[in-house]
mmCIF file with all atom_site columns, all heavy atoms in Angstrom:
data_model
loop_
_atom_site.group_PDB
_atom_site.id
_atom_site.type_symbol
_atom_site.label_atom_id
_atom_site.label_alt_id
_atom_site.label_comp_id
_atom_site.label_asym_id
_atom_site.label_entity_id
_atom_site.label_seq_id
_atom_site.pdbx_PDB_ins_code
_atom_site.Cartn_x
_atom_site.Cartn_y
_atom_site.Cartn_z
_atom_site.occupancy
_atom_site.B_iso_or_equiv
_atom_site.pdbx_formal_charge
_atom_site.auth_seq_id
_atom_site.auth_comp_id
_atom_site.auth_asym_id
_atom_site.auth_atom_id
_atom_site.pdbx_PDB_model_num
ATOM 1   N N   . ARG A 1 1  ? 0.828   -1.223  0.000   1.00 70.00 ? 1  ARG A N   1
ATOM 2   C CA  . ARG A 1 1  ? 0.000   0.000   0.000   1.00 70.00 ? 1  ARG A CA  1
ATOM 3   C C   . ARG A 1 1  ? 0.857   1.266   0.000   1.00 70.00 ? 1  ARG A C   1
ATOM 4   O O   . ARG A 1 1  ? 0.478   2.286   -0.574  1.00 70.00 ? 1  ARG A O   1
ATOM 5   C CB  . ARG A 1 1  ? -0.910  0.010   1.235   1.00 70.00 ? 1  ARG A CB  1
ATOM 6   C CG  . ARG A 1 1  ? -2.037  -1.007  1.209   1.00 70.00 ? 1  ARG A CG  1
ATOM 7   C CD  . ARG A 1 1  ? -3.023  -0.710  2.339   1.00 70.00 ? 1  ARG A CD  1
ATOM 8   N NE  . ARG A 1 1  ? -4.083  -1.687  2.416   1.00 70.00 ? 1  ARG A NE  1
ATOM 9   C CZ  . ARG A 1 1  ? -4.167  -2.645  3.329   1.00 70.00 ? 1  ARG A CZ  1
ATOM 10  N NH1 . ARG A 1 1  ? -3.228  -2.753  4.250   1.00 70.00 ? 1  ARG A NH1 1
ATOM 11  N NH2 . ARG A 1 1  ? -5.173  -3.489  3.328   1.00 70.00 ? 1  ARG A NH2 1
ATOM 12  N N   . ALA A 1 2  ? 2.005   1.225   0.656   1.00 72.00 ? 2  ALA A N   1
ATOM 13  C CA  . ALA A 1 2  ? 2.834   2.411   0.816   1.00 72.00 ? 2  ALA A CA  1
ATOM 14  C C   . ALA A 1 2  ? 3.730   2.690   -0.393  1.00 72.00 ? 2  ALA A C   1
ATOM 15  O O   . ALA A 1 2  ? 4.308   3.770   -0.495  1.00 72.00 ? 2  ALA A O   1
ATOM 16  C CB  . ALA A 1 2  ? 3.704   2.276   2.067   1.00 72.00 ? 2  ALA A CB  1
ATOM 17  N N   . GLN A 1 3  ? 3.834   1.730   -1.295  1.00 71.00 ? 3  GLN A N   1
ATOM 18  C CA  . GLN A 1 3  ? 4.718   1.885   -2.447  1.00 71.00 ? 3  GLN A CA  1
ATOM 19  C C   . GLN A 1 3  ? 4.237   3.020   -3.339  1.00 71.00 ? 3  GLN A C   1
ATOM 20  O O   . GLN A 1 3  ? 3.151   2.979   -3.902  1.00 71.00 ? 3  GLN A O   1
ATOM 21  C CB  . GLN A 1 3  ? 4.783   0.577   -3.245  1.00 71.00 ? 3  GLN A CB  1
ATOM 22  C CG  . GLN A 1 3  ? 5.688   0.614   -4.456  1.00 71.00 ? 3  GLN A CG  1
ATOM 23  C CD  . GLN A 1 3  ? 7.113   0.976   -4.115  1.00 71.00 ? 3  GLN A CD  1
ATOM 24  O OE1 . GLN A 1 3  ? 7.536   2.112   -4.358  1.00 71.00 ? 3  GLN A OE1 1
ATOM 25  N NE2 . GLN A 1 3  ? 7.851   0.048   -3.538  1.00 71.00 ? 3  GLN A NE2 1
ATOM 26  N N   . GLN A 1 4  ? 5.048   4.096   -3.482  1.00 67.00 ? 4  GLN A N   1
ATOM 27  C CA  . GLN A 1 4  ? 4.631   5.273   -4.238  1.00 67.00 ? 4  GLN A CA  1
ATOM 28  C C   . GLN A 1 4  ? 4.942   5.163   -5.721  1.00 67.00 ? 4  GLN A C   1
ATOM 29  O O   . GLN A 1 4  ? 4.213   5.696   -6.545  1.00 67.00 ? 4  GLN A O   1
ATOM 30  C CB  . GLN A 1 4  ? 5.308   6.528   -3.664  1.00 67.00 ? 4  GLN A CB  1
ATOM 31  C CG  . GLN A 1 4  ? 4.890   6.828   -2.228  1.00 67.00 ? 4  GLN A CG  1
ATOM 32  C CD  . GLN A 1 4  ? 5.428   8.164   -1.751  1.00 67.00 ? 4  GLN A CD  1
ATOM 33  O OE1 . GLN A 1 4  ? 5.715   9.050   -2.535  1.00 67.00 ? 4  GLN A OE1 1
ATOM 34  N NE2 . GLN A 1 4  ? 5.559   8.304   -0.432  1.00 67.00 ? 4  GLN A NE2 1
ATOM 35  N N   . ASP A 1 5  ? 6.011   4.479   -6.059  1.00 67.00 ? 5  ASP A N   1
ATOM 36  C CA  . ASP A 1 5  ? 6.382   4.335   -7.459  1.00 67.00 ? 5  ASP A CA  1
ATOM 37  C C   . ASP A 1 5  ? 5.407   3.382   -8.160  1.00 67.00 ? 5  ASP A C   1
ATOM 38  O O   . ASP A 1 5  ? 5.259   2.223   -7.748  1.00 67.00 ? 5  ASP A O   1
ATOM 39  C CB  . ASP A 1 5  ? 7.815   3.800   -7.563  1.00 67.00 ? 5  ASP A CB  1
ATOM 40  C CG  . ASP A 1 5  ? 8.273   3.735   -9.012  1.00 67.00 ? 5  ASP A CG  1
ATOM 41  O OD1 . ASP A 1 5  ? 8.762   4.757   -9.520  1.00 67.00 ? 5  ASP A OD1 1
ATOM 42  O OD2 . ASP A 1 5  ? 8.100   2.663   -9.630  1.00 67.00 ? 5  ASP A OD2 1
ATOM 43  N N   . ILE A 1 6  ? 4.738   3.880   -9.179  1.00 61.00 ? 6  ILE A N   1
ATOM 44  C CA  . ILE A 1 6  ? 3.685   3.086   -9.837  1.00 61.00 ? 6  ILE A CA  1
ATOM 45  C C   . ILE A 1 6  ? 4.251   1.795   -10.420 1.00 61.00 ? 6  ILE A C   1
ATOM 46  O O   . ILE A 1 6  ? 3.685   0.714   -10.246 1.00 61.00 ? 6  ILE A O   1
ATOM 47  C CB  . ILE A 1 6  ? 2.996   3.918   -10.942 1.00 61.00 ? 6  ILE A CB  1
ATOM 48  C CG1 . ILE A 1 6  ? 2.255   5.103   -10.312 1.00 61.00 ? 6  ILE A CG1 1
ATOM 49  C CG2 . ILE A 1 6  ? 2.026   3.065   -11.745 1.00 61.00 ? 6  ILE A CG2 1
ATOM 50  C CD1 . ILE A 1 6  ? 1.637   6.053   -11.326 1.00 61.00 ? 6  ILE A CD1 1
ATOM 51  N N   . GLU A 1 7  ? 5.393   1.903   -11.134 1.00 69.00 ? 7  GLU A N   1
ATOM 52  C CA  . GLU A 1 7  ? 5.971   0.709   -11.763 1.00 69.00 ? 7  GLU A CA  1
ATOM 53  C C   . GLU A 1 7  ? 6.398   -0.312  -10.717 1.00 69.00 ? 7  GLU A C   1
ATOM 54  O O   . GLU A 1 7  ? 6.187   -1.521  -10.883 1.00 69.00 ? 7  GLU A O   1
ATOM 55  C CB  . GLU A 1 7  ? 7.159   1.105   -12.639 1.00 69.00 ? 7  GLU A CB  1
ATOM 56  C CG  . GLU A 1 7  ? 6.754   1.870   -13.896 1.00 69.00 ? 7  GLU A CG  1
ATOM 57  C CD  . GLU A 1 7  ? 7.937   2.103   -14.824 1.00 69.00 ? 7  GLU A CD  1
ATOM 58  O OE1 . GLU A 1 7  ? 9.016   1.510   -14.582 1.00 69.00 ? 7  GLU A OE1 1
ATOM 59  O OE2 . GLU A 1 7  ? 7.783   2.891   -15.768 1.00 69.00 ? 7  GLU A OE2 1
ATOM 60  N N   . ALA A 1 8  ? 7.014   0.171   -9.632  1.00 75.00 ? 8  ALA A N   1
ATOM 61  C CA  . ALA A 1 8  ? 7.456   -0.738  -8.571  1.00 75.00 ? 8  ALA A CA  1
ATOM 62  C C   . ALA A 1 8  ? 6.251   -1.409  -7.905  1.00 75.00 ? 8  ALA A C   1
ATOM 63  O O   . ALA A 1 8  ? 6.302   -2.606  -7.571  1.00 75.00 ? 8  ALA A O   1
ATOM 64  C CB  . ALA A 1 8  ? 8.274   0.028   -7.536  1.00 75.00 ? 8  ALA A CB  1
ATOM 65  N N   . ARG A 1 9  ? 5.171   -0.658  -7.732  1.00 71.00 ? 9  ARG A N   1
ATOM 66  C CA  . ARG A 1 9  ? 3.967   -1.234  -7.116  1.00 71.00 ? 9  ARG A CA  1
ATOM 67  C C   . ARG A 1 9  ? 3.354   -2.295  -8.028  1.00 71.00 ? 9  ARG A C   1
ATOM 68  O O   . ARG A 1 9  ? 2.946   -3.359  -7.583  1.00 71.00 ? 9  ARG A O   1
ATOM 69  C CB  . ARG A 1 9  ? 2.957   -0.120  -6.811  1.00 71.00 ? 9  ARG A CB  1
ATOM 70  C CG  . ARG A 1 9  ? 1.759   -0.613  -6.020  1.00 71.00 ? 9  ARG A CG  1
ATOM 71  C CD  . ARG A 1 9  ? 0.912   0.521   -5.479  1.00 71.00 ? 9  ARG A CD  1
ATOM 72  N NE  . ARG A 1 9  ? 0.261   1.294   -6.509  1.00 71.00 ? 9  ARG A NE  1
ATOM 73  C CZ  . ARG A 1 9  ? 0.597   2.529   -6.860  1.00 71.00 ? 9  ARG A CZ  1
ATOM 74  N NH1 . ARG A 1 9  ? 1.614   3.125   -6.267  1.00 71.00 ? 9  ARG A NH1 1
ATOM 75  N NH2 . ARG A 1 9  ? -0.060  3.183   -7.810  1.00 71.00 ? 9  ARG A NH2 1
ATOM 76  N N   . GLN A 1 10 ? 3.288   -1.975  -9.331  1.00 73.00 ? 10 GLN A N   1
ATOM 77  C CA  . GLN A 1 10 ? 2.745   -2.951  -10.282 1.00 73.00 ? 10 GLN A CA  1
ATOM 78  C C   . GLN A 1 10 ? 3.602   -4.223  -10.318 1.00 73.00 ? 10 GLN A C   1
ATOM 79  O O   . GLN A 1 10 ? 3.070   -5.331  -10.383 1.00 73.00 ? 10 GLN A O   1
ATOM 80  C CB  . GLN A 1 10 ? 2.677   -2.323  -11.689 1.00 73.00 ? 10 GLN A CB  1
ATOM 81  C CG  . GLN A 1 10 ? 1.699   -1.171  -11.832 1.00 73.00 ? 10 GLN A CG  1
ATOM 82  C CD  . GLN A 1 10 ? 0.250   -1.612  -11.746 1.00 73.00 ? 10 GLN A CD  1
ATOM 83  O OE1 . GLN A 1 10 ? -0.053  -2.790  -11.879 1.00 73.00 ? 10 GLN A OE1 1
ATOM 84  N NE2 . GLN A 1 10 ? -0.646  -0.662  -11.503 1.00 73.00 ? 10 GLN A NE2 1
ATOM 85  N N   . GLN A 1 11 ? 4.924   -4.021  -10.251 1.00 80.00 ? 11 GLN A N   1
ATOM 86  C CA  . GLN A 1 11 ? 5.835   -5.176  -10.264 1.00 80.00 ? 11 GLN A CA  1
ATOM 87  C C   . GLN A 1 11 ? 5.656   -6.024  -9.016  1.00 80.00 ? 11 GLN A C   1
ATOM 88  O O   . GLN A 1 11 ? 5.650   -7.265  -9.077  1.00 80.00 ? 11 GLN A O   1
ATOM 89  C CB  . GLN A 1 11 ? 7.289   -4.682  -10.353 1.00 80.00 ? 11 GLN A CB  1
ATOM 90  C CG  . GLN A 1 11 ? 8.322   -5.796  -10.460 1.00 80.00 ? 11 GLN A CG  1
ATOM 91  C CD  . GLN A 1 11 ? 8.121   -6.659  -11.692 1.00 80.00 ? 11 GLN A CD  1
ATOM 92  O OE1 . GLN A 1 11 ? 7.996   -6.140  -12.792 1.00 80.00 ? 11 GLN A OE1 1
ATOM 93  N NE2 . GLN A 1 11 ? 8.070   -7.970  -11.511 1.00 80.00 ? 11 GLN A NE2 1
ATOM 94  N N   . ALA A 1 12 ? 5.487   -5.370  -7.865  1.00 80.00 ? 12 ALA A N   1
ATOM 95  C CA  . ALA A 1 12 ? 5.284   -6.097  -6.616  1.00 80.00 ? 12 ALA A CA  1
ATOM 96  C C   . ALA A 1 12 ? 3.985   -6.904  -6.659  1.00 80.00 ? 12 ALA A C   1
ATOM 97  O O   . ALA A 1 12 ? 3.943   -8.059  -6.215  1.00 80.00 ? 12 ALA A O   1
ATOM 98  C CB  . ALA A 1 12 ? 5.257   -5.117  -5.444  1.00 80.00 ? 12 ALA A CB  1
ATOM 99  N N   . MET A 1 13 ? 2.925   -6.292  -7.181  1.00 79.00 ? 13 MET A N   1
ATOM 100 C CA  . MET A 1 13 ? 1.652   -7.012  -7.273  1.00 79.00 ? 13 MET A CA  1
ATOM 101 C C   . MET A 1 13 ? 1.761   -8.198  -8.236  1.00 79.00 ? 13 MET A C   1
ATOM 102 O O   . MET A 1 13 ? 1.206   -9.271  -7.980  1.00 79.00 ? 13 MET A O   1
ATOM 103 C CB  . MET A 1 13 ? 0.545   -6.053  -7.712  1.00 79.00 ? 13 MET A CB  1
ATOM 104 C CG  . MET A 1 13 ? 0.145   -5.040  -6.642  1.00 79.00 ? 13 MET A CG  1
ATOM 105 S SD  . MET A 1 13 ? -1.350  -4.111  -7.028  1.00 79.00 ? 13 MET A SD  1
ATOM 106 C CE  . MET A 1 13 ? -0.785  -3.068  -8.357  1.00 79.00 ? 13 MET A CE  1
ATOM 107 N N   . GLN A 1 14 ? 2.482   -7.981  -9.351  1.00 81.00 ? 14 GLN A N   1
ATOM 108 C CA  . GLN A 1 14 ? 2.659   -9.066  -10.307 1.00 81.00 ? 14 GLN A CA  1
ATOM 109 C C   . GLN A 1 14 ? 3.452   -10.215 -9.684  1.00 81.00 ? 14 GLN A C   1
ATOM 110 O O   . GLN A 1 14 ? 3.132   -11.404 -9.885  1.00 81.00 ? 14 GLN A O   1
ATOM 111 C CB  . GLN A 1 14 ? 3.388   -8.532  -11.547 1.00 81.00 ? 14 GLN A CB  1
ATOM 112 C CG  . GLN A 1 14 ? 3.567   -9.555  -12.666 1.00 81.00 ? 14 GLN A CG  1
ATOM 113 C CD  . GLN A 1 14 ? 2.246   -10.048 -13.224 1.00 81.00 ? 14 GLN A CD  1
ATOM 114 O OE1 . GLN A 1 14 ? 1.268   -9.297  -13.237 1.00 81.00 ? 14 GLN A OE1 1
ATOM 115 N NE2 . GLN A 1 14 ? 2.202   -11.292 -13.645 1.00 81.00 ? 14 GLN A NE2 1
ATOM 116 N N   . THR A 1 15 ? 4.492   -9.874  -8.911  1.00 82.00 ? 15 THR A N   1
ATOM 117 C CA  . THR A 1 15 ? 5.308   -10.897 -8.250  1.00 82.00 ? 15 THR A CA  1
ATOM 118 C C   . THR A 1 15 ? 4.472   -11.710 -7.269  1.00 82.00 ? 15 THR A C   1
ATOM 119 O O   . THR A 1 15 ? 4.559   -12.953 -7.222  1.00 82.00 ? 15 THR A O   1
ATOM 120 C CB  . THR A 1 15 ? 6.485   -10.228 -7.506  1.00 82.00 ? 15 THR A CB  1
ATOM 121 O OG1 . THR A 1 15 ? 7.286   -9.507  -8.450  1.00 82.00 ? 15 THR A OG1 1
ATOM 122 C CG2 . THR A 1 15 ? 7.342   -11.270 -6.805  1.00 82.00 ? 15 THR A CG2 1
ATOM 123 N N   . LEU A 1 16 ? 3.657   -11.034 -6.471  1.00 81.00 ? 16 LEU A N   1
ATOM 124 C CA  . LEU A 1 16 ? 2.768   -11.731 -5.542  1.00 81.00 ? 16 LEU A CA  1
ATOM 125 C C   . LEU A 1 16 ? 1.816   -12.658 -6.276  1.00 81.00 ? 16 LEU A C   1
ATOM 126 O O   . LEU A 1 16 ? 1.570   -13.800 -5.844  1.00 81.00 ? 16 LEU A O   1
ATOM 127 C CB  . LEU A 1 16 ? 1.973   -10.721 -4.711  1.00 81.00 ? 16 LEU A CB  1
ATOM 128 C CG  . LEU A 1 16 ? 2.678   -10.077 -3.520  1.00 81.00 ? 16 LEU A CG  1
ATOM 129 C CD1 . LEU A 1 16 ? 1.787   -9.007  -2.902  1.00 81.00 ? 16 LEU A CD1 1
ATOM 130 C CD2 . LEU A 1 16 ? 3.039   -11.128 -2.468  1.00 81.00 ? 16 LEU A CD2 1
ATOM 131 N N   . SER A 1 17 ? 1.264   -12.163 -7.388  1.00 81.00 ? 17 SER A N   1
ATOM 132 C CA  . SER A 1 17 ? 0.311   -12.976 -8.153  1.00 81.00 ? 17 SER A CA  1
ATOM 133 C C   . SER A 1 17 ? 0.960   -14.243 -8.681  1.00 81.00 ? 17 SER A C   1
ATOM 134 O O   . SER A 1 17 ? 0.361   -15.330 -8.657  1.00 81.00 ? 17 SER A O   1
ATOM 135 C CB  . SER A 1 17 ? -0.254  -12.155 -9.327  1.00 81.00 ? 17 SER A CB  1
ATOM 136 O OG  . SER A 1 17 ? -1.015  -11.070 -8.860  1.00 81.00 ? 17 SER A OG  1
ATOM 137 N N   . VAL A 1 18 ? 2.222   -14.099 -9.137  1.00 84.00 ? 18 VAL A N   1
ATOM 138 C CA  . VAL A 1 18 ? 2.929   -15.270 -9.685  1.00 84.00 ? 18 VAL A CA  1
ATOM 139 C C   . VAL A 1 18 ? 3.331   -16.222 -8.565  1.00 84.00 ? 18 VAL A C   1
ATOM 140 O O   . VAL A 1 18 ? 3.102   -17.435 -8.641  1.00 84.00 ? 18 VAL A O   1
ATOM 141 C CB  . VAL A 1 18 ? 4.165   -14.804 -10.482 1.00 84.00 ? 18 VAL A CB  1
ATOM 142 C CG1 . VAL A 1 18 ? 5.032   -16.010 -10.869 1.00 84.00 ? 18 VAL A CG1 1
ATOM 143 C CG2 . VAL A 1 18 ? 3.741   -14.023 -11.724 1.00 84.00 ? 18 VAL A CG2 1
ATOM 144 N N   . LEU A 1 19 ? 3.944   -15.699 -7.503  1.00 84.00 ? 19 LEU A N   1
ATOM 145 C CA  . LEU A 1 19 ? 4.451   -16.540 -6.420  1.00 84.00 ? 19 LEU A CA  1
ATOM 146 C C   . LEU A 1 19 ? 3.336   -17.327 -5.727  1.00 84.00 ? 19 LEU A C   1
ATOM 147 O O   . LEU A 1 19 ? 3.513   -18.492 -5.347  1.00 84.00 ? 19 LEU A O   1
ATOM 148 C CB  . LEU A 1 19 ? 5.193   -15.687 -5.388  1.00 84.00 ? 19 LEU A CB  1
ATOM 149 C CG  . LEU A 1 19 ? 6.533   -15.086 -5.841  1.00 84.00 ? 19 LEU A CG  1
ATOM 150 C CD1 . LEU A 1 19 ? 7.108   -14.196 -4.750  1.00 84.00 ? 19 LEU A CD1 1
ATOM 151 C CD2 . LEU A 1 19 ? 7.532   -16.198 -6.192  1.00 84.00 ? 19 LEU A CD2 1
ATOM 152 N N   . PHE A 1 20 ? 2.171   -16.680 -5.546  1.00 81.00 ? 20 PHE A N   1
ATOM 153 C CA  . PHE A 1 20 ? 1.069   -17.334 -4.847  1.00 81.00 ? 20 PHE A CA  1
ATOM 154 C C   . PHE A 1 20 ? -0.010  -17.861 -5.798  1.00 81.00 ? 20 PHE A C   1
ATOM 155 O O   . PHE A 1 20 ? -1.055  -18.344 -5.354  1.00 81.00 ? 20 PHE A O   1
ATOM 156 C CB  . PHE A 1 20 ? 0.430   -16.365 -3.844  1.00 81.00 ? 20 PHE A CB  1
ATOM 157 C CG  . PHE A 1 20 ? 1.287   -16.107 -2.646  1.00 81.00 ? 20 PHE A CG  1
ATOM 158 C CD1 . PHE A 1 20 ? 2.184   -15.051 -2.631  1.00 81.00 ? 20 PHE A CD1 1
ATOM 159 C CD2 . PHE A 1 20 ? 1.209   -16.933 -1.528  1.00 81.00 ? 20 PHE A CD2 1
ATOM 160 C CE1 . PHE A 1 20 ? 2.988   -14.813 -1.527  1.00 81.00 ? 20 PHE A CE1 1
ATOM 161 C CE2 . PHE A 1 20 ? 2.003   -16.699 -0.418  1.00 81.00 ? 20 PHE A CE2 1
ATOM 162 C CZ  . PHE A 1 20 ? 2.896   -15.639 -0.413  1.00 81.00 ? 20 PHE A CZ  1
ATOM 163 N N   . ASN A 1 21 ? 0.265   -17.751 -7.126  1.00 84.00 ? 21 ASN A N   1
ATOM 164 C CA  . ASN A 1 21 ? -0.663  -18.282 -8.122  1.00 84.00 ? 21 ASN A CA  1
ATOM 165 C C   . ASN A 1 21 ? -2.072  -17.687 -7.928  1.00 84.00 ? 21 ASN A C   1
ATOM 166 O O   . ASN A 1 21 ? -3.078  -18.384 -7.977  1.00 84.00 ? 21 ASN A O   1
ATOM 167 C CB  . ASN A 1 21 ? -0.721  -19.810 -8.028  1.00 84.00 ? 21 ASN A CB  1
ATOM 168 C CG  . ASN A 1 21 ? -1.181  -20.431 -9.336  1.00 84.00 ? 21 ASN A CG  1
ATOM 169 O OD1 . ASN A 1 21 ? -1.174  -19.788 -10.383 1.00 84.00 ? 21 ASN A OD1 1
ATOM 170 N ND2 . ASN A 1 21 ? -1.605  -21.689 -9.276  1.00 84.00 ? 21 ASN A ND2 1
ATOM 171 N N   . LEU A 1 22 ? -2.113  -16.354 -7.724  1.00 80.00 ? 22 LEU A N   1
ATOM 172 C CA  . LEU A 1 22 ? -3.382  -15.703 -7.369  1.00 80.00 ? 22 LEU A CA  1
ATOM 173 C C   . LEU A 1 22 ? -4.351  -15.626 -8.531  1.00 80.00 ? 22 LEU A C   1
ATOM 174 O O   . LEU A 1 22 ? -5.568  -15.696 -8.335  1.00 80.00 ? 22 LEU A O   1
ATOM 175 C CB  . LEU A 1 22 ? -3.109  -14.287 -6.837  1.00 80.00 ? 22 LEU A CB  1
ATOM 176 C CG  . LEU A 1 22 ? -2.265  -14.201 -5.562  1.00 80.00 ? 22 LEU A CG  1
ATOM 177 C CD1 . LEU A 1 22 ? -2.114  -12.758 -5.118  1.00 80.00 ? 22 LEU A CD1 1
ATOM 178 C CD2 . LEU A 1 22 ? -2.899  -15.030 -4.435  1.00 80.00 ? 22 LEU A CD2 1
ATOM 179 N N   . GLU A 1 23 ? -3.836  -15.476 -9.756  1.00 69.00 ? 23 GLU A N   1
ATOM 180 C CA  . GLU A 1 23 ? -4.741  -15.385 -10.904 1.00 69.00 ? 23 GLU A CA  1
ATOM 181 C C   . GLU A 1 23 ? -5.531  -16.670 -11.075 1.00 69.00 ? 23 GLU A C   1
ATOM 182 O O   . GLU A 1 23 ? -6.725  -16.662 -11.368 1.00 69.00 ? 23 GLU A O   1
ATOM 183 C CB  . GLU A 1 23 ? -3.942  -15.069 -12.174 1.00 69.00 ? 23 GLU A CB  1
ATOM 184 C CG  . GLU A 1 23 ? -3.386  -13.653 -12.185 1.00 69.00 ? 23 GLU A CG  1
ATOM 185 C CD  . GLU A 1 23 ? -2.663  -13.335 -13.480 1.00 69.00 ? 23 GLU A CD  1
ATOM 186 O OE1 . GLU A 1 23 ? -2.748  -14.152 -14.424 1.00 69.00 ? 23 GLU A OE1 1
ATOM 187 O OE2 . GLU A 1 23 ? -2.035  -12.265 -13.553 1.00 69.00 ? 23 GLU A OE2 1
ATOM 188 N N   . LYS A 1 24 ? -4.854  -17.804 -10.840 1.00 57.00 ? 24 LYS A N   1
ATOM 189 C CA  . LYS A 1 24 ? -5.533  -19.099 -10.946 1.00 57.00 ? 24 LYS A CA  1
ATOM 190 C C   . LYS A 1 24 ? -6.598  -19.220 -9.872  1.00 57.00 ? 24 LYS A C   1
ATOM 191 O O   . LYS A 1 24 ? -7.703  -19.707 -10.096 1.00 57.00 ? 24 LYS A O   1
ATOM 192 C CB  . LYS A 1 24 ? -4.509  -20.233 -10.808 1.00 57.00 ? 24 LYS A CB  1
ATOM 193 C CG  . LYS A 1 24 ? -5.089  -21.616 -11.057 1.00 57.00 ? 24 LYS A CG  1
ATOM 194 C CD  . LYS A 1 24 ? -3.984  -22.664 -11.047 1.00 57.00 ? 24 LYS A CD  1
ATOM 195 C CE  . LYS A 1 24 ? -4.568  -24.054 -11.282 1.00 57.00 ? 24 LYS A CE  1
ATOM 196 N NZ  . LYS A 1 24 ? -3.509  -25.092 -11.256 1.00 57.00 ? 24 LYS A NZ  1
ATOM 197 N N   . THR A 1 25 ? -6.279  -18.709 -8.662  1.00 49.00 ? 25 THR A N   1
ATOM 198 C CA  . THR A 1 25 ? -7.248  -18.745 -7.560  1.00 49.00 ? 25 THR A CA  1
ATOM 199 C C   . THR A 1 25 ? -8.466  -17.907 -7.908  1.00 49.00 ? 25 THR A C   1
ATOM 200 O O   . THR A 1 25 ? -9.599  -18.303 -7.677  1.00 49.00 ? 25 THR A O   1
ATOM 201 C CB  . THR A 1 25 ? -6.590  -18.207 -6.275  1.00 49.00 ? 25 THR A CB  1
ATOM 202 O OG1 . THR A 1 25 ? -5.431  -18.986 -5.979  1.00 49.00 ? 25 THR A OG1 1
ATOM 203 C CG2 . THR A 1 25 ? -7.558  -18.267 -5.104  1.00 49.00 ? 25 THR A CG2 1
ATOM 204 N N   . ALA A 1 26 ? -8.223  -16.682 -8.441  1.00 46.00 ? 26 ALA A N   1
ATOM 205 C CA  . ALA A 1 26 ? -9.335  -15.791 -8.793  1.00 46.00 ? 26 ALA A CA  1
ATOM 206 C C   . ALA A 1 26 ? -10.202 -16.404 -9.878  1.00 46.00 ? 26 ALA A C   1
ATOM 207 O O   . ALA A 1 26 ? -11.420 -16.350 -9.838  1.00 46.00 ? 26 ALA A O   1
ATOM 208 C CB  . ALA A 1 26 ? -8.789  -14.449 -9.267  1.00 46.00 ? 26 ALA A CB  1
ATOM 209 N N   . ASN A 1 27 ? -9.550  -17.049 -10.876 1.00 46.00 ? 27 ASN A N   1
ATOM 210 C CA  . ASN A 1 27 ? -10.320 -17.675 -11.953 1.00 46.00 ? 27 ASN A CA  1
ATOM 211 C C   . ASN A 1 27 ? -11.197 -18.790 -11.446 1.00 46.00 ? 27 ASN A C   1
ATOM 212 O O   . ASN A 1 27 ? -12.326 -18.990 -11.892 1.00 46.00 ? 27 ASN A O   1
ATOM 213 C CB  . ASN A 1 27 ? -9.362  -18.212 -13.025 1.00 46.00 ? 27 ASN A CB  1
ATOM 214 C CG  . ASN A 1 27 ? -8.686  -17.092 -13.800 1.00 46.00 ? 27 ASN A CG  1
ATOM 215 O OD1 . ASN A 1 27 ? -9.233  -15.993 -13.874 1.00 46.00 ? 27 ASN A OD1 1
ATOM 216 N ND2 . ASN A 1 27 ? -7.507  -17.368 -14.358 1.00 46.00 ? 27 ASN A ND2 1
ATOM 217 N N   . LYS A 1 28 ? -10.702 -19.556 -10.456 1.00 46.00 ? 28 LYS A N   1
ATOM 218 C CA  . LYS A 1 28 ? -11.495 -20.628 -9.871  1.00 46.00 ? 28 LYS A CA  1
ATOM 219 C C   . LYS A 1 28 ? -12.740 -20.078 -9.175  1.00 46.00 ? 28 LYS A C   1
ATOM 220 O O   . LYS A 1 28 ? -13.822 -20.619 -9.248  1.00 46.00 ? 28 LYS A O   1
ATOM 221 C CB  . LYS A 1 28 ? -10.661 -21.419 -8.859  1.00 46.00 ? 28 LYS A CB  1
ATOM 222 C CG  . LYS A 1 28 ? -9.712  -22.414 -9.483  1.00 46.00 ? 28 LYS A CG  1
ATOM 223 C CD  . LYS A 1 28 ? -8.994  -23.194 -8.399  1.00 46.00 ? 28 LYS A CD  1
ATOM 224 C CE  . LYS A 1 28 ? -8.040  -24.230 -8.998  1.00 46.00 ? 28 LYS A CE  1
ATOM 225 N NZ  . LYS A 1 28 ? -7.329  -24.976 -7.955  1.00 46.00 ? 28 LYS A NZ  1
ATOM 226 N N   . GLN A 1 29 ? -12.544 -18.896 -8.508  1.00 44.00 ? 29 GLN A N   1
ATOM 227 C CA  . GLN A 1 29 ? -13.658 -18.313 -7.758  1.00 44.00 ? 29 GLN A CA  1
ATOM 228 C C   . GLN A 1 29 ? -14.779 -17.860 -8.690  1.00 44.00 ? 29 GLN A C   1
ATOM 229 O O   . GLN A 1 29 ? -15.949 -17.912 -8.336  1.00 44.00 ? 29 GLN A O   1
ATOM 230 C CB  . GLN A 1 29 ? -13.172 -17.111 -6.947  1.00 44.00 ? 29 GLN A CB  1
ATOM 231 C CG  . GLN A 1 29 ? -12.292 -17.498 -5.768  1.00 44.00 ? 29 GLN A CG  1
ATOM 232 C CD  . GLN A 1 29 ? -11.766 -16.280 -5.034  1.00 44.00 ? 29 GLN A CD  1
ATOM 233 O OE1 . GLN A 1 29 ? -11.844 -15.178 -5.539  1.00 44.00 ? 29 GLN A OE1 1
ATOM 234 N NE2 . GLN A 1 29 ? -11.264 -16.491 -3.840  1.00 44.00 ? 29 GLN A NE2 1
#
């Protein structure tokens, strides 16, 4: 939430999605 740099924030969210396989989880829901 505190990440001010847009690119860095997007990269962090993408990393979380990949590491925890979040897109697959969301698609299942």
Side-chain angles (χ1 to χ4, degrees):
R1 289 191 183 105
Q3 181 58 256
Q4 296 187 24
D5 184 86
I6 295 175
E7 290 187 10
R9 187 168 66 252
Q10 294 291 344
Q11 184 60 50
M13 289 191 289
Q14 183 62 31
T15 300
L16 280 174
S17 295
V18 171
L19 290 176
F20 288 91
N21 203 16
L22 298 182
E23 290 183 9
K24 186 174 179 181
T25 302
N27 290 335
K28 281 183 179 179
Q29 289 177 346

